[in-house]
Amino acid sequence: MWKTVRMSQDDACPGDFMPQNVNCPRVKLGQESPGVAFRGHLRSLPKLMDIASSSHASHGNHKENSPFLNAAEASKGGDYYDRNLALFEEELDIRPKVSSLLGKLVNYTNLTQGVKEHEEAENTDGSKKKVSKSPSMGTLMGVYLPCMQNIFGVILFLRLTWMVGMAGVLQSFLIVLLCCCCTMLTTISMSAIATNGVVPAGGSYFMISRSLGPEFGGAVGLCFYLGTTFAGAMYILGAIEILLTYIVPQAAIFHPSGAHDASSAMLNNMRVYGTLFLILMAVVVFVGVKYVNKFASLFLACVVISILSIYAGAIKSIFDPPEFPICMLGNRTLSREYFDVCAKTVVKDNITVASKLWELFCHTTNLTTENCDEYFLMNNVSEIAGIPGAASGILKDNLWSNYLEKGEILEKAHHPSVDVAGQKNNLHLYVLSDIATSFMVLVGIFFPSVTGIMAGSNRSGDLKDAQKSIPVGTILAIVTTSLVYFSCVLLFGACIEGVVLRDKFGDAVNKNLVVGTLSWPSPWVIVIGSFFSTCGAGLQSLTGAPRLLQAIAKDNIIPFLWIFGHGKANGEPTWALLLTALIAELGILIASLDMVAPILSMFFLMCYLFVNLACAVQTLLRTPNWRPRFKYYHWALSFLGMSICLALMFISSWYYALVAMLIAGMIYKYIEYQGAEKEWGDGIRGLSLSAARYALLRLEEGPPHTKNWRPQLLVLLKLDEDLHVKYPRLLTFASQLKAGKGLTIIGSVIQGNFLETYGEAQAAEQTIKNMMDIEKVKGFCQVVVANKVREGIAHLIQSCGLGGMKHNTVVLGWPYGWRQSEDPRSWKTFIGTVRCTTAAHLALLVPKNVSFYPSNHERYNEGNIDVWWIVHDGGMLMLLPFLLKQHKVWRKCKMRIFTVAQMDDNSIQMKKDLATFLYQLRIEAEVEVVEMHNSDISAYTYERTLMMEQRSQMLRQMRLTKTEREREAQLVKDRHSVARLESLYSDEEDEGDPVPENIQMTWTKEKCDAEKRNRGSAVGSFRDLISIKPNQSNVRRMHTAVKLNEVIVNRSHDARLVLLNMPGPPKNTDGDENYMEFLEVLTEGLERVLLVRGGGREVITIYS
């Protein structure tokens, strides 16, 4: 239970933070401590968060403009800070009081989320705001009736009878059941989404986009828009068909010149009148939507009256069926358009003469048979009842399907006839099938008659209680319309003759609308009613579609649609209406209702499919925000609805389905790459998180197999004083090595205290991300704040990555300028990092002279990548050039592998073995074996070793001298920033104990003598440097470095890149500086070098 607590002034007494005018009893010595009393009041602190109106009680009727207060407002007076909330006063500028929050929620207006214009309108002055009209529509007027009006449409009146005739009652039931199940399951999913929070005005597009993200939202939103637009075209074509076929046939502009081009003339008439109607309707919508809304109830009344007249006619047909005789020649149905009397001869003035029918088939007015059609002569003419009535038992004949090919004659089964071929030029006298029919075709044509279930959710902004009205109203509307469709299928099959049902345009019943022949009191009730209802539905489509396009454009997820977000001063979408009219014109130019219906079926099915997907994804992910008020949903129902939608798409027209999916896919990819990034808390993001979690748990099962091994990089970057990346070519190298595959983590360390430098770390992270975008590095960024850079790097190496997605290779920059710096920290960080990677069993890559590495825009059309394979450490040296060659920069470079042979090695056999090994590895490379002869250590090597040890010894002596330590401390302090710029990884902190700035000593005689002795020994040690003899181990190492360098420079001086094994650091840390010197000597004279150190495991295999 929520509870509102009021605190009196006495309640707020304990503590020194209260105002002075509050009289609080003082606690004297010996009494209960104030702390105890204060702790008692602390027990009620959780209730403070539920204060709803104490500020109004204490301070009058003051209202806050915004719950988010700044410091300036806080200083103006005490009104903003309730005395009862003094404990939280430091947080009130970022965390609103509950009263303020609830006030904001109560004043919520149903504005579209994410629309910039509406957000700006909310921030305007209160004087400019119009008083918003509170939504007042209930379930009946707001959801039920609009859904009914949108669902019932042109197909019910123009095509349902024809569908029953072709498919039979049973298959028609199946078609209606499939389509109604699809919409019912979609409605259940839509109800769950619509009741999960406040649905903003905008309907289905907003439900999908906020549930599945901007990519799916934009794709499905545009599909829904195209579907609504083509629905407008379909309704207009239906209205024109009713007008020209049943109301005023004489208004036709084009007339058939021959017997066989009647259909083309009709299509041209549809195009001309359809275009005129479209222009007229667009003008009506442009002038004012209010007129459309005013006539909506009139159009709905037309639909309801028309349906009631069908039921009335069916009941009447039981005892008094209407007179609509059908003229049959044998078992073939004749078109009533060309004759009146259904007989071969007529009696005029007691004389038997040829009838009009005889003239048509025999081309003579005499009763001669020379030129007569053979089928006409052999078969009798008869009349049967077009509407036998519900009691006639015709239902059993209409149960089964009777699909026809295009141009086939409508025949009545089991009717007596002689089967002979007639003349082809008389085919126009029969009633013919105008298109080839099948179950699939009929599904595509019928499905638009069950669309319209979104009408309630589209009006969510006008509903009093949208979360209750949308599910109830929409489900009731679907149940009602489904019952009407099922009952109509049954009534049509039970009351109307089969050949009449299959007669699409009523040619056999004097050009009457077939469904009109059943209606009571007159066929004109349905003709006029259906005409007005289709006109109204067309207007509704032309009203809704531009608004949907405007909503998508205002969300700015598809940049090229921005112009359609603008409109008239009152917000009417003028440009969107223009585009909608142009697209609808395309549908009208198709001119055939049966061709347009499957197109819009595709787009609506695509939309419904994604509504079901949205509900299923949210349910399965169990996201914390998924708490719909509508409880009667399940993910299995959503998946079933999705499956039915997909099945219906391919059943009705597989090629239209593929085109619709292609359009949606193109829009999706366009938004993904070009559109504005939106964060709507969508389900696809949650799905990605679940998939990532599942994949990470799978990866955790064990280390990757050698076949799956690829370098997962941790690139350690150095930032300068301005937080700019010092060596961006490290990122370039990483992107070339990865080519967008695998894991890349860019790490950096900022020295300092985390609490103080958090903002700096955020800025550094953003800088690195920007540089990653420039260099096209796909990966993650992590900036660590640490007191020592070396510790920060160790933390990155240990903790970067998650589960099985951890780095296995570290990319480390070379510490340039380490020789010039007297500060040992410039290279100690580097060696420490090398040791860390070795201890963690990670591979290490050190690109030397990285500034000379190629950018992503350069291309090497020739040149070599040279690999110097000196020791085997897992095959990294083989794998890296292969990966680099996948990138366009290095693609045309050739790979050469050099290995070193000693005097006792068989170099010829080594070359053969190496070539075989590379062949089995499927790596193309030239192979060379370099022989290194044993030679005496040269004077140059001896001299280099001597200079190295002298320098090392001298610096050590300088650091050991106390007075030099003091001076060194001052130097470090003075050139604090210089040292950072000189080294790539410098710790910026003293290795030894901190030295105080001012050293104060009390001198005694003993201390003075000791100081003199120290100075004397220091001077002596400097003299000893001249006579030092180099360590034999160092001489041997230097000899190796010099000899290898000579060989490498000799063979690879013109190589684009040289890869060679990086020797490990010495176990004894005293030799660290010598180790740096060895590496320098080894790589001297080479432009681009990549030092490679394996992680202790095989990374390449000969097996498949």
Side-chain angles (χ1 to χ4, degrees):
M1 292 291 292
W2 289 93
K3 191 172 181 182
T4 302
V5 180
R6 293 187 183 276
M7 293 180 67
S8 65
Q9 290 183 356
D10 292 338
D11 290 335
C13 281
D16 295 329
F17 51 80
M18 297 309 301
Q20 292 181 357
N21 59 351
V22 180
N23 295 320
C24 299
R26 294 295 175 192
V27 180
K28 296 179 182 178
L29 289 171
Q31 293 182 344
E32 186 184 6
S33 165
V36 176
F38 187 51
R39 281 195 298 274
H41 286 278
L42 275 175
R43 295 189 192 103
S44 63
L45 276 178
K47 297 178 183 177
L48 286 173
M49 299 305 293
D50 298 326
I51 294 177
S53 56
S54 61
S55 60
H56 301 299
S58 304
H59 304 293
N61 292 325
H62 171 73
K63 288 185 180 179
E64 296 172 3
N65 294 327
S66 168
F68 301 96
L69 309 178
N70 56 34
E73 289 172 325
S75 61
K76 288 177 185 175
D79 282 347
Y80 286 109
Y81 288 97
D82 196 303
R83 65 189 65 180
N84 296 324
L85 295 180
L87 187 61
F88 298 94
E89 65 185 11
E90 290 185 3
E91 293 182 314
L92 282 178
D93 55 344
I94 55 169
R95 299 182 184 185
K97 290 194 294 183
V98 175
S99 58
S100 308
L101 177 68
L102 294 176
K104 290 280 281 187
L105 291 176
V106 168
N107 294 327
Y108 171 81
T109 54
N110 280 295
L111 293 177
T112 304
Q113 289 182 355
V115 178
K116 187 178 177 183
E117 285 77 5
H118 284 159
E119 291 172 359
E120 290 172 353
E122 276 193 323
N123 295 330
T124 52
D125 295 332
S127 58
K128 294 181 183 177
K129 282 187 182 178
K130 293 181 180 178
V131 178
S132 60
K133 187 180 178 184
S134 60
S136 58
M137 297 181 83
T139 305
L140 181 69
M141 295 300 295
V143 182
Y144 181 72
L145 293 180
C147 280
M148 291 266 288
Q149 183 186 356
N150 277 265
I151 293 170
F152 286 134
V154 64
I155 302 294
L156 169 65
F157 304 117
L158 293 184
R159 295 291 181 269
L160 190 59
T161 52
W162 173 73
M163 186 186 86
V164 174
M166 291 293 181
V169 173
L170 295 180
Q171 287 194 24
S172 296
F173 269 142
L174 181 59
I175 291 171
V176 175
L177 182 67
L178 263 177
C179 296
C180 291
C181 279
C182 174
T183 52
M184 177 60 84
L185 292 169
T186 305
T187 301
I188 290 170
S189 298
M190 184 191 75
S191 300
I193 298 171
T195 57
N196 186 48
V198 179
V199 181
S204 57
Y205 161 67
F206 286 96
M207 285 195 292
I208 296 165
S209 62
R210 270 56 177 180
S211 295
L212 288 180
E215 293 88 0
F216 278 110
V220 179
L222 278 184
C223 282
F224 192 52
Y225 163 73
L226 290 171
T228 311
T229 305
F230 275 104
M234 185 190 73
Y235 288 128
I236 291 171
L237 289 173
I240 301 303
E241 186 178 308
I242 294 167
L243 182 73
L244 294 181
T245 310
Y246 308 113
I247 300 178
V248 278
Q250 59 272 23
I253 299 171
F254 300 92
H255 299 281
S257 56
H260 302 290
D261 63 347
S263 61
S264 61
M266 182 62 181
L267 292 179
N268 287 330
N269 286 321
M270 300 273 277
R271 290 183 181 110
V272 173
Y273 277 99
T275 304
L276 293 173
F277 260 59
L278 177 63
I279 293 169
L280 180 66
M281 287 184 176
V283 168
V284 171
V285 173
F286 178 76
V287 168
V289 182
K290 56 184 178 181
Y291 302 112
V292 179
N293 293 332
K294 280 181 181 176
F295 287 109
S297 53
L298 173 66
F299 298 139
L300 180 61
C302 291
V303 174
V304 172
I305 291 169
S306 301
I307 292 169
L308 290 176
S309 73
I310 294 171
Y311 287 118
I315 294 168
K316 179 178 175 292
S317 73
I318 297 171
F319 49 86
D320 184 17
E323 290 291 329
F324 283 100
I326 309 300
C327 190
M328 306 291 294
L329 177 60
N331 65 348
R332 297 179 179 178
T333 312
L334 293 171
S335 173
R336 282 279 190 174
E337 188 179 354
Y338 305 102
F339 63 91
D340 298 324
V341 180
C342 184
K344 290 186 178 181
T345 59
V346 290
V347 178
K348 275 189 179 180
D349 301 327
N350 293 328
I351 301 170
T352 302
V353 295
S355 67
K356 181 71 175 173
L357 201 58
W358 187 284
E359 292 178 22
L360 290 169
F361 277 99
C362 297
H363 310 290
T364 178
T365 54
N366 302 323
L367 291 173
T368 55
T369 60
E370 292 87 5
N371 299 321
C372 280
D373 188 312
E374 188 181 359
Y375 188 86
F376 178 74
L377 290 175
M378 300 293 291
N379 287 282
N380 293 324
V381 174
S382 59
E383 273 192 337
I384 60 171
I387 314 289
S392 64
I394 196 74
L395 179 63
K396 66 178 182 296
D397 294 334
N398 292 332
L399 279 177
W400 311 107
S401 62
N402 195 350
Y403 296 116
L404 301 174
E405 292 299 318
K406 184 176 181 179
E408 243 184 286
I409 300 170
L410 269 63
E411 297 178 347
K412 180 174 171 60
H414 313 302
H415 203 67
S417 69
V418 179
D419 192 13
V420 291
Q423 295 176 4
K424 285 190 175 181
N425 57 355
N426 290 328
L427 282 176
H428 66 283
L429 300 173
Y430 301 107
V431 180
L432 304 174
S433 171
D434 66 329
I435 62 168
T437 52
S438 65
F439 181 81
M440 298 181 178
V441 169
L442 294 181
V443 167
I445 292 173
F446 177 74
F447 187 79
S449 62
V450 295
T451 60
I453 59 172
M454 298 289 185
S457 63
N458 289 346
R459 294 163 178 257
S460 57
D462 302 324
L463 298 173
K464 191 186 298 179
D465 185 1
Q467 297 191 1
K468 177 186 174 187
S469 298
I470 288 175
V472 173
T474 310
I475 290 171
L476 281 177
I478 288 179
V479 169
T480 307
T481 52
S482 301
L483 288 174
V484 169
Y485 285 133
F486 281 120
S487 58
C488 283
V489 167
L490 189 64
L491 289 176
F492 293 157
C495 298
I496 304 175
E497 174 60 49
V499 289
V500 180
L501 286 173
R502 290 189 285 281
D503 182 5
K504 187 187 286 185
F505 300 108
D507 292 323
V509 285
N510 295 323
K511 283 286 183 181
N512 276 304
L513 183 62
V514 174
V515 69
T517 59
L518 181 63
S519 65
W520 180 86
S522 165
W524 285 100
V525 175
I526 291 239
V527 172
I528 301 298
S530 60
F531 177 74
F532 280 115
S533 71
T534 48
C535 288
L539 279 171
Q540 292 279 6
S541 297
L542 288 179
T543 305
R547 276 159 180 70
L548 183 58
L549 182 62
Q550 187 182 38
I552 298 169
K554 282 186 175 180
D555 262 350
N556 197 30
I557 56 172
I558 305 175
F560 68 82
L561 290 180
W562 66 270
I563 190 169
F564 300 110
H566 304 291
K568 292 196 290 187
N570 61 351
E572 292 297 316
T574 312
W575 292 105
L577 176 62
L578 186 64
L579 181 67
T580 303
L582 289 173
I583 296 172
E585 177 63 20
L586 294 176
I588 284 166
L589 291 176
I590 295 172
S592 170
L593 185 69
D594 303 317
M595 293 291 286
V596 174
I599 296 175
L600 68 105
S601 293
M602 286 308 123
F603 290 124
F604 278 119
L605 280 165
M606 185 80 76
C607 179
Y608 296 167
L609 185 148
F610 281 107
V611 170
N612 284 303
L613 177 64
C615 181
V617 165
Q618 299 274 34
T619 308
L620 287 174
L621 289 178
R622 297 194 182 103
T623 47
N625 192 49
W626 180 246
R627 304 185 298 274
R629 288 190 180 280
F630 181 78
K631 301 296 182 187
Y632 307 102
Y633 68 93
H634 193 269
W635 63 265
L637 291 176
S638 299
F639 270 116
L640 180 62
M642 198 168 68
S643 305
I644 292 175
C645 287
L646 197 61
L648 286 176
M649 284 175 71
F650 282 94
I651 283 172
S652 56
S653 176
W654 64 267
Y655 44 90
Y656 278 161
L658 291 176
V659 169
M661 293 171 90
L662 181 66
I663 291 171
M666 287 168 62
I667 297 166
Y668 178 95
K669 295 308 287 183
Y670 177 80
I671 296 171
E672 188 177 38
Y673 287 115
Q674 298 292 330
E677 291 184 5
K678 301 282 182 183
E679 180 48 67
W680 287 332
D682 51 84
I684 291 298
R685 187 174 177 81
L687 189 62
S688 302
L689 286 170
S690 288
R693 173 182 166 274
Y694 174 76
L696 284 170
L697 289 172
R698 288 288 305 274
L699 284 174
E700 192 77 351
E701 291 175 4
H705 191 272
T706 305
K707 289 187 289 187
N708 299 327
W709 195 95
R710 64 165 61 243
Q712 316 286 14
L713 301 183
L714 169 62
V715 183
L716 297 174
L717 280 187
K718 173 71 176 175
L719 302 178
D720 60 19
E721 289 287 342
D722 299 323
L723 298 180
H724 294 143
V725 178
K726 194 169 182 185
Y727 296 108
R729 284 294 162 87
L730 274 174
L731 290 174
T732 313
F733 172 70
S735 72
Q736 291 168 7
L737 183 62
K738 300 298 291 179
K741 304 291 189 297
L743 174 72
T744 306
I745 303 171
I746 311 299
S748 188
V749 179
I750 290 181
Q751 189 179 356
N753 187 312
F754 177 71
L755 295 176
E756 295 170 1
T757 55
Y758 175 71
E760 195 177 333
Q762 294 289 99
E765 192 169 324
Q766 193 56 50
T767 303
I768 294 173
K769 283 181 179 176
N770 294 339
M771 187 58 69
M772 287 169 70
D773 288 339
I774 293 168
E775 298 295 340
K776 295 179 179 165
V777 177
K778 295 181 186 295
F780 308 98
C781 173
Q782 188 161 354
V783 177
V784 169
V785 179
N787 289 327
K788 295 182 180 181
V789 174
R790 203 184 307 173
E791 289 179 3
I793 291 172
H795 293 157
L796 282 173
I797 290 172
Q798 291 176 74
S799 61
C800 270
L802 181 64
M805 277 296 271
K806 290 183 75 71
H807 56 276
N808 55 28
T809 306
V810 177
V811 180
L812 178 65
W814 179 260
Y816 304 101
W818 69 273
R819 276 175 170 163
Q820 288 74 29
S821 171
E822 295 177 1
D823 185 3
R825 294 187 298 267
S826 57
W827 46 265
K828 283 198 173 181
T829 301
F830 173 81
I831 297 177
T833 308
V834 174
R835 286 199 172 99
C836 280
T837 56
T838 306
H841 300 290
L842 302 175
L844 177 66
L845 306 179
V846 181
K848 198 161 180 279
N849 302 328
V850 75
S851 301
F852 297 115
Y853 277 50
S855 69
N856 283 324
H857 305 294
E858 294 179 47
R859 301 283 187 282
Y860 285 152
N861 294 322
E862 56 183 2
N864 298 314
I865 299 177
D866 285 359
V867 176
W868 284 85
W869 192 20
I870 299 161
V871 293
H872 179 64
D873 56 358
M876 277 283 286
L877 283 168
M878 309 292 173
L879 189 61
L880 290 174
F882 171 77
L883 294 174
L884 277 175
K885 278 168 64 67
Q886 307 304 308
H887 197 273
K888 55 193 174 186
V889 173
W890 304 92
R891 191 165 291 149
K892 294 186 179 178
C893 290
K894 292 180 180 177
M895 184 173 162
R896 296 191 302 183
I897 296 183
F898 297 89
T899 188
V900 176
Q902 302 300 321
M903 284 297 293
D904 53 348
D905 293 328
N906 186 342
S907 57
I908 298 172
Q909 188 60 40
M910 273 181 72
K911 187 171 182 176
K912 285 182 181 178
D913 293 344
L914 182 55
T916 307
F917 180 56
L918 289 175
Y919 177 77
Q920 290 173 337
L921 286 176
R922 290 92 62 204
I923 290 176
E924 293 180 11
E926 293 179 24
V927 175
E928 287 194 40
V929 177
V930 179
E931 294 184 356
M932 288 188 68
H933 302 289
N934 285 335
S935 60
D936 294 333
I937 295 170
S938 65
Y940 169 75
T941 304
Y942 195 85
E943 191 67 28
R944 285 291 298 257
T945 313
L946 182 61
M947 286 171 59
M948 174 186 77
E949 292 201 356
Q950 282 179 342
R951 179 181 180 277
S952 178
Q953 185 69 19
M954 184 175 67
L955 289 173
R956 193 177 292 114
Q957 289 295 336
M958 286 173 64
R959 287 195 294 274
L960 288 174
T961 307
K962 191 170 185 181
T963 54
E964 289 297 316
R965 279 186 62 188
E966 293 172 15
R967 193 172 66 183
E968 188 72 1
Q970 192 61 38
L971 278 171
V972 169
K973 185 180 176 186
D974 290 343
R975 36 168 244 281
H976 182 72
S977 60
V978 178
R980 284 188 75 171
L981 293 173
E982 281 179 353
S983 62
L984 180 63
Y985 284 109
S986 170
D987 269 1
E988 321 296 343
E989 80 274 347
D990 279 332
E991 294 297 316
D993 297 327
V995 178
E997 289 186 16
N998 298 316
I999 300 174
Q1000 296 179 357
M1001 300 180 71
T1002 305
W1003 288 93
T1004 61
K1005 191 173 185 301
E1006 293 80 8
K1007 282 187 179 180
C1008 189
D1009 293 340
E1011 181 65 20
K1012 284 179 182 178
R1013 282 196 301 273
N1014 285 339
R1015 287 185 183 179
S1017 64
V1019 173
S1021 62
F1022 279 116
R1023 288 182 187 142
D1024 292 341
L1025 287 175
I1026 302 166
S1027 57
I1028 194 170
K1029 286 189 177 181
N1031 186 303
Q1032 287 303 310
S1033 173
N1034 286 341
V1035 172
R1036 280 188 288 105
R1037 287 191 176 94
M1038 182 63 78
H1039 176 67
T1040 305
V1042 170
K1043 290 292 289 180
L1044 272 175
N1045 179 253
E1046 283 177 7
V1047 173
I1048 293 170
V1049 171
N1050 184 36
R1051 297 296 186 97
S1052 303
H1053 60 90
D1054 57 348
R1056 298 295 188 186
L1057 180 65
V1058 176
L1059 290 87
L1060 70 149
N1061 292 108
M1062 180 180 181
K1067 292 178 181 177
N1068 185 0
T1069 55
D1070 292 340
D1072 284 357
E1073 195 168 4
N1074 300 341
Y1075 172 69
M1076 294 297 296
E1077 188 69 35
F1078 295 144
L1079 292 180
E1080 283 282 11
V1081 172
L1082 185 62
T1083 57
E1084 218 166 38
L1086 297 171
E1087 188 180 15
R1088 282 179 287 270
V1089 186
L1090 180 63
L1091 295 170
V1092 180
R1093 186 161 172 74
R1097 61 161 294 169
E1098 292 293 329
V1099 300
I1100 196 165
T1101 177
I1102 62 174
Y1103 300 108
S1104 61

